[in-house]
Amino acid sequence: MQLKTNIAKRVYLFSDGNKEMVELLGGKGANLAEMSQLGLPVPNGFTITTEACTEYLEKQELSFELKEQIKEQVEVLEKLTRKKLNDLHHPLLVSVRSGARFSMPGMMDTVLNLGMNDKVVEGLAGMTDNVGFAYDCYRRFIQMFGDVVKGVDKNHFEAVLTQYKTQNEYREDSELTDEDWKEITHQFKQVYRSYLGEEFPQQPEEQLYGAVEAVFKSWNNSRAKLYRKMNGISDNLGTAVTIQEMVFGNTGDRSGTGVAFTRNPATGENGLFGEFLINAQGEDVVAGIRTPKEISELKNLMPDTYSQFVKIAEKLEKHYEDMQDIEFTIENGKLFILQTRNGKRTSKAAVAIVLDLAEEGVISKEEALMRLTPSMMDQLLHPSFLAAELAKHVPVLKGLPASPGSASGDVYFTAEAAKKAAESGAKTILLRNETSPEDIEGMIICEAIVTARGGMTSHAAVVARGMGTCCVVGCDQLVIDEQEKKAVIDGKELKEGTTISVDGSTGKVYLGEITKDNQVAGSHALSKVIQWCKDLSNVRVKANAETAKEISASLELGGEGMGLVRTEHMFFGEERILEMRRMILAEDKQAKLKALAQLKKYQKEDFKTIFALAEGKPAIVRLLDPPLHEFLPTEKEVPSVAKELNILPKDLERLIKGLAENNPMLGHRGCRLAVTNPEIYEMQTEAIIEAAIEAEQETGIKMVPEIMIPLVSIEKELVVIKETLVRKIDTIFKRLNKQIPYLIGTMIETPRACLIADKIAEHVDFISFGTNDLTQLTYGFSRDDIGKFVQDYEQKEILATDPFQHIDVDGVGALLHEAIQKIKSTGKSVSIGICGEVGGDPESIRFLLNEGVDYFSCSPYRIPAALLTIAQQSIKKNS
């Protein structure tokens, strides 16, 4: 149809669009258009573009031209459906829904049954010969319009319905008569009038424009903004609005509504997975108000409709080359598809699905990896309850396992209470009858979510899976009293603050805290993803690890050895700390050397274990870094330590006081220790080299130990210390009559070291950037204290993010760029790595890859996410 105006097109019929127009039509609008093109049974409609939304948000009013375009497309819709707005015999009712470019389930607003009024309700009742249905639609519309468009809390309407059912001793909505629904509708209109001081609007045109504005405005509601912040979605995109002919799942026993996935969103298992309700509208399913039936039961009730739906589901997955989340309605036996989108899924399911699709030849290995996210890799490593501990507990509650994982915490019955408790340091679990988008702030901070109602596609289930949060829904035996802050399970009370444990994989809930197993459970699927990532990139990921457990986990998760072995962590055992204190407090060289000799025995055994576990993979050992005072006893420990060291407490206190520093993180630490106490680094180097030689002899695996000198700021510092270490190593080789290759490198952690990186590079085999200290020294922020004020900085937009979590591109990033360019300018082959916190941060990795970093080192459990990020950058670069 030719538009009557010359302005830019802001409204598109479904027949005018396709799936490629997602930026303009939003995900919902683009997919509805695509399904229409495929000839699927989609109710007719049109979409108002995201551009119209951004224009509205700027001017805060619908332009005359936009209203005209909407009016023109309504006329087209009336011709297509052979129905008309405000018509008594063939009334057209529509839904008004949001549809952003990126899926934001439940975050924005919807209005259903628009077009109902006092005349139309009678016409609909006559047309369908179903008075109860017509007035049910009308009362739903009054409530939704009042809530979404006019801001009247929906609970005011719900209270009327609940009170009416109680007074008349009705347990289910299906028990209400036609006259009951008429009376409830009348009371809903009174609620509307009492809160707004005006009658419910009777003109469909007024209703429609009001609903469109409300959906546009909902782009900036608090829950939508929070969701976008959580998921890294821009605030400037706006939402499209889809106007679609209503089809009704609440006309009787031959009607219904549901949501289904083409694969299991929790496990990835191939096969239809979903739920439906008979005689209901779509919001009843996703709101969790009623507990639905499994989709397979539809086969018994409506076999032909079920068969048609299965074929459509298969067609959609094949067309979109991904698992689909499909909303449908059945009106008097006739199937309608209301929406399809790539389904939200757990991390476990996401990996299983892309592997299946790749192995089926539907997508390539590269496309499979691009569909995963680093956060999915993190979520795959959720801990589970220890089997032995779990066996000691009997579940007090059983529901549907909506999102896997295991969690313990204290019970709270409102999002506000849970959030407040979490801010005080408590681990919380949210218990609700059902969640709604308003609960998002509480849901984000909870360890787990449990609901009394709802199914696997309810709001709680979908949001929890997206966040990777443990969740159990549909606990029918759970009765929650939010006002009294308690729940009742089979007659037993559960009060606010009670500790429970939730198993999202089985749907079981237990009293008390259950110990979790933090061991990595290596899976075939995860191993395959890790190997694919490695195949696509030469940049490797190592681990910051020194214990046997950490090293084993890192190797299992794809680590290529250790990029940072912190030796200071090896001195805190009961026997070791005593010898360390003897060494630090020794008042003569002989006593110091005696203590160092004992420490060497401990160090050597540690290093042999590390080298054996590494099996020839790199193991970069950082020599002692923290200031010596960190190993000294506290005031409370002085008497007992003095006794063990055989000195007077007052003398010990004097020695401790003499080592105290005003600002120890800027003081006598790192390589500075080796300048004043060279025998410490000599002892550690001797232990490293001897351990490597013995490990090579015992295992037959070639060892190449790598020794890292920390906190260098001056070229001469490095020269002096390296000369000392090389002399010591030569002495060992001569004594043992055995030589092995070794590398000596340094950690750059100060701005000055970045600026003279070319001079430093001339003396080393590798350089690792310690971004934690580099950030600390560049900003002058203490990484231990920044938490006290960083949120204020973020809220006031002084800082975009915590610079210790994501690299500061303009400051620290600039220093890194300068340093790396200087290193490369020497022409010397020097390996460049990152071993600070940002070494496992995807956002930082993307920046550092462009700077030419050779490897990253991070905590073992961040390795899969780092590997995926690196592989994805390689795929983008080569595409």
Side-chain angles (χ1 to χ4, degrees):
M1 178 177 178
Q2 182 65 41
L3 290 172
K4 298 175 184 176
T5 61
N6 294 319
I7 67 162
K9 189 173 182 178
R10 293 289 182 260
V11 185
Y12 288 75
L13 281 171
F14 292 165
S15 57
D16 296 334
N18 58 59
K19 67 178 182 179
E20 308 302 328
M21 298 172 68
V22 65
E23 290 191 5
L24 193 64
L25 304 180
K28 186 189 298 291
N31 285 333
L32 285 168
E34 185 76 8
M35 288 192 293
S36 296
Q37 302 281 9
L38 292 172
L40 299 183
V42 175
N44 293 293
F46 58 86
T47 300
I48 305 169
T49 66
T50 55
E51 292 174 344
C53 177
T54 56
E55 290 167 0
Y56 171 82
L57 293 174
E58 182 180 340
K59 299 176 182 177
Q60 290 297 305
E61 65 176 2
L62 298 179
S63 68
F64 172 79
E65 292 81 6
L66 179 60
K67 287 182 178 179
E68 285 296 297
Q69 287 195 33
I70 293 172
K71 191 183 297 184
E72 289 166 8
Q73 298 296 17
V74 167
E75 291 173 5
V76 176
L77 184 58
E78 288 176 332
K79 290 178 181 177
L80 289 171
T81 61
R82 298 180 182 178
K83 300 175 184 175
K84 291 193 71 173
L85 287 175
N86 215 23
D87 188 275
L88 300 186
H89 303 291
H90 299 285
L92 172 65
L93 301 181
V94 297
S95 62
V96 182
R97 301 175 186 267
S98 62
R101 298 182 196 179
F102 302 99
S103 177
M104 296 172 57
M107 295 302 110
M108 291 175 290
D109 290 327
T110 294
V111 178
L112 303 180
N113 303 320
L114 190 142
M116 291 294 289
N117 57 31
D118 293 349
K119 293 190 301 182
V120 167
V121 69
E122 292 295 335
L124 186 63
M127 184 179 77
T128 60
D129 195 25
N130 193 332
V131 174
F133 156 71
Y135 276 91
D136 182 25
C137 290
Y138 195 11
R139 69 93 188 171
R140 287 172 183 264
F141 176 50
I142 295 167
Q143 177 176 339
M144 199 169 279
F145 189 90
D147 176 30
V148 172
V149 180
K150 294 294 186 176
V152 181
D153 191 330
K154 63 185 176 185
N155 290 316
H156 297 315
F157 298 99
E158 284 294 335
V160 168
L161 179 58
T162 301
Q163 184 179 10
Y164 189 91
K165 287 165 67 176
T166 301
Q167 287 174 345
N168 291 276
E169 298 182 350
Y170 294 137
R171 296 188 63 185
E172 303 292 338
D173 289 359
S174 58
E175 298 176 51
L176 276 69
T177 66
D178 294 349
E179 292 305 313
D180 290 327
W181 284 121
K182 283 185 178 182
E183 176 57 27
I184 288 167
T185 302
H186 174 69
Q187 291 187 26
F188 272 29
K189 288 165 67 179
Q190 286 183 323
V191 170
Y192 185 95
R193 186 189 310 114
S194 66
Y195 281 95
L196 297 171
E198 62 187 45
E199 297 295 331
F200 188 78
Q202 298 294 301
Q203 289 301 318
E205 190 174 276
E206 178 187 349
Q207 296 171 357
L208 180 58
Y209 294 148
V212 170
E213 285 195 66
V215 175
F216 280 160
K217 286 178 182 176
S218 71
W219 172 257
N220 282 329
N221 68 37
S222 58
R223 64 180 186 269
K225 292 177 79 169
L226 181 61
Y227 184 91
R228 290 197 295 273
K229 184 177 180 181
M230 282 172 53
N231 291 280
I233 299 171
S234 169
D235 284 332
N236 301 321
L237 303 178
T239 180
V241 177
T242 296
I243 315 295
Q244 191 174 21
E245 172 193 7
M246 283 293 302
V247 288
F248 300 99
N250 58 332
T251 59
D253 292 341
R254 291 283 297 160
S255 299
T257 187
V259 178
F261 298 84
T262 54
R263 297 177 189 242
N264 188 311
T267 66
E269 183 181 355
N270 196 352
L272 206 57
F273 178 92
E275 299 161 329
F276 73 101
L277 285 169
I278 289 294
N279 196 24
Q281 285 199 333
E283 294 301 302
D284 296 341
V285 178
V286 295
I289 294 170
R290 292 163 56 187
T291 301
K293 298 179 179 181
E294 289 187 14
I295 191 71
S296 58
E297 293 187 37
L298 184 62
K299 186 176 183 179
N300 299 324
L301 296 171
M302 303 180 197
D304 292 342
T305 304
Y306 178 79
S307 177
Q308 182 188 5
F309 181 75
V310 169
K311 291 177 182 176
I312 288 173
E314 291 172 351
K315 182 174 184 177
L316 286 171
E317 177 172 288
K318 186 175 181 181
H319 182 75
Y320 283 96
E321 298 181 343
D322 201 356
M323 183 261 276
Q324 293 299 290
D325 172 1
I326 306 167
E327 293 180 18
F328 66 93
T329 286
I330 303 165
E331 181 180 285
N332 297 321
K334 185 176 181 181
L335 176 66
F336 293 93
I337 305 299
L338 304 183
Q339 176 171 291
T340 194
R341 59 190 171 198
N342 292 342
K344 296 283 185 183
R345 63 206 77 180
T346 64
S347 299
K348 179 180 178 181
V351 171
I353 289 168
V354 297
L355 289 178
D356 281 350
L357 292 173
E359 289 172 355
E360 291 165 11
V362 177
I363 59 176
S364 66
K365 181 168 67 176
E366 289 79 5
E367 175 63 24
L369 292 179
M370 292 305 292
R371 290 188 182 183
L372 300 176
T373 66
S375 64
M376 288 177 183
M377 299 296 97
D378 290 336
Q379 291 167 19
L380 275 177
L381 305 176
H382 284 325
S384 58
F385 293 134
L386 283 169
E389 292 297 315
L390 192 62
K392 300 175 185 177
H393 293 74
V394 177
V396 295
L397 203 58
K398 179 73 168 69
L400 302 173
S403 184
S406 302
S408 298
D410 299 335
V411 166
Y412 290 90
F413 300 103
T414 66
E416 294 79 6
K419 183 183 177 187
K420 187 175 180 180
E423 288 171 349
S424 300
K427 290 188 175 182
T428 62
I429 291 179
L430 186 63
L431 252 69
R432 302 282 280 153
N433 283 312
E434 68 268 351
T435 63
S436 69
E438 285 79 8
D439 294 320
I440 188 69
E441 288 189 326
M443 297 172 76
I444 290 169
I445 50 80
C446 284
E447 304 295 314
I449 300 163
V450 179
T451 66
R453 298 195 285 262
M456 298 287 277
T457 52
S458 65
H459 177 266
V462 172
V463 173
R465 280 197 295 269
M467 295 191 300
T469 299
C470 172
C471 180
V472 174
V473 300
C475 300
D476 293 333
Q477 63 272 50
L478 181 64
V479 179
I480 294 174
D481 189 334
E482 186 178 310
Q483 297 299 319
E484 294 296 322
K485 298 182 179 180
K486 68 177 183 180
V488 178
I489 306 170
D490 295 333
K492 296 179 181 179
E493 285 190 359
L494 190 70
K495 294 184 178 179
E496 188 174 88
T498 303
T499 302
I500 65 171
S501 294
V502 182
D503 189 335
S505 300
T506 64
K508 295 177 181 178
V509 179
Y510 306 82
L511 284 177
E513 183 172 355
I514 301 176
T515 305
K516 291 191 285 290
D517 180 5
N518 291 306
Q519 278 283 80
V520 176
S523 71
H524 172 71
L526 179 59
S527 298
K528 184 169 286 189
V529 169
I530 288 170
Q531 190 56 54
W532 285 3
C533 290
K534 288 184 176 184
D535 291 343
L536 291 169
S537 175
N538 293 322
V539 178
R540 295 310 187 200
V541 180
K542 303 176 185 180
N544 300 340
E546 50 273 343
T547 69
K549 183 177 179 181
E550 289 172 337
I551 294 168
S552 297
S554 70
L555 296 175
E556 187 177 353
L557 293 171
E560 297 286 342
M562 275 60 71
L564 176 61
V565 175
R566 307 175 186 87
T567 55
E568 57 269 17
H569 290 180
M570 301 172 180
F571 294 117
F572 285 99
E574 188 174 341
E575 293 180 351
R576 299 175 180 217
I577 193 65
L578 183 62
E579 293 303 325
M580 191 67 175
R581 288 165 176 170
R582 284 191 206 280
M583 185 275 294
I584 295 169
L585 299 170
E587 294 189 301
D588 62 71
K589 189 169 184 179
Q590 196 61 34
K592 178 175 284 191
L593 291 175
K594 184 178 179 182
L596 283 169
Q598 187 60 43
L599 286 170
K600 177 193 164 186
K601 293 179 182 178
Y602 297 133
Q603 288 266 274
K604 186 174 172 180
E605 287 305 310
D606 290 335
F607 295 139
K608 278 184 69 175
T609 300
I610 288 168
F611 292 140
L613 287 169
E615 296 183 334
K617 290 185 172 66
I620 299 176
V621 180
R622 184 177 72 184
L623 302 178
L624 194 64
D625 182 48
L628 294 178
H629 83 277
E630 287 195 5
F631 300 96
L632 297 180
T634 63
E635 185 178 347
K636 186 178 179 180
E637 294 174 309
V638 164
S640 61
V641 173
K643 185 177 180 180
E644 288 196 64
L645 294 176
N646 197 27
I647 61 176
L648 294 172
K650 65 177 183 179
D651 291 336
L652 179 55
E653 288 172 348
R654 174 179 55 80
L655 291 169
I656 292 171
K657 189 175 181 180
L659 287 167
E661 296 184 68
N662 290 326
N663 198 335
M665 292 311 294
L666 296 177
H668 192 189
R669 55 167 291 219
C671 65
R672 298 157 200 170
L673 292 171
V675 172
T676 58
N677 298 273
E679 54 276 349
I680 296 176
Y681 277 17
E682 287 182 51
M683 177 276 289
Q684 289 192 293
T685 299
E686 192 170 5
I688 291 168
I689 297 298
E690 288 184 11
I693 290 173
E694 291 181 21
E696 185 174 293
Q697 291 171 338
E698 292 173 11
T699 65
I701 300 172
K702 185 178 180 181
M703 301 289 169
V704 183
E706 301 182 42
I707 301 168
M708 180 191 285
I709 302 169
L711 206 70
V712 167
S713 293
I714 306 165
E715 181 185 8
K716 191 67 174 175
E717 273 179 324
L718 180 60
V719 171
V720 169
I721 295 169
K722 182 182 176 184
E723 286 176 352
T724 302
L725 300 187
V726 170
R727 278 197 303 270
K728 172 57 70 174
I729 293 170
D730 288 343
T731 302
I732 298 166
F733 288 163
K734 192 172 183 180
R735 172 167 53 83
L736 298 176
N737 194 28
K738 169 75 175 176
Q739 290 192 19
I740 59 171
Y742 65 90
L743 303 174
I744 292 180
T746 190
M747 182 180 281
I748 288 184
E749 304 164 83
T750 71
R752 189 179 194 277
C754 290
L755 298 174
I756 62 163
D758 50 344
K759 295 178 180 179
I760 289 174
E762 296 289 353
H763 305 284
V764 294
D765 302 303
F766 65 88
I767 288 175
S768 181
F769 287 92
T771 55
N772 296 344
D773 270 331
L774 183 57
T775 301
Q776 183 167 237
L777 295 170
T778 301
Y779 272 100
F781 288 158
S782 164
R783 66 184 179 191
D784 297 317
D785 298 319
I786 191 174
K788 297 173 183 176
F789 59 84
V790 71
Q791 287 186 343
D792 293 318
Y793 269 59
E794 290 175 344
Q795 287 171 2
K796 295 177 181 178
E797 298 183 351
I798 298 171
L799 284 174
T801 59
D802 181 345
F804 289 99
Q805 302 301 314
H806 307 293
I807 198 159
D808 158 39
V809 173
D810 294 335
V812 176
L815 284 169
L816 285 166
H817 174 81
E818 177 79 6
I820 292 170
Q821 292 304 308
K822 283 179 174 290
I823 294 166
K824 292 182 180 296
S825 72
T826 64
K828 188 182 177 189
S829 178
V830 177
S831 178
I832 301 171
I834 301 290
C835 64
E837 186 67 24
V838 301
D841 170 53
E843 183 180 318
S844 304
I845 289 172
R846 294 182 193 107
F847 167 78
L848 292 164
L849 282 170
N850 290 329
E851 294 299 322
V853 169
D854 299 310
Y855 73 89
F856 295 88
S857 190
C858 58
S859 68
Y861 298 96
R862 300 185 81 181
I863 290 172
L867 285 169
L868 179 64
T869 304
I870 293 166
Q872 288 176 336
Q873 292 302 109
S874 177
I875 293 167
K876 288 178 182 177
K877 185 177 179 180
N878 296 324
S879 62

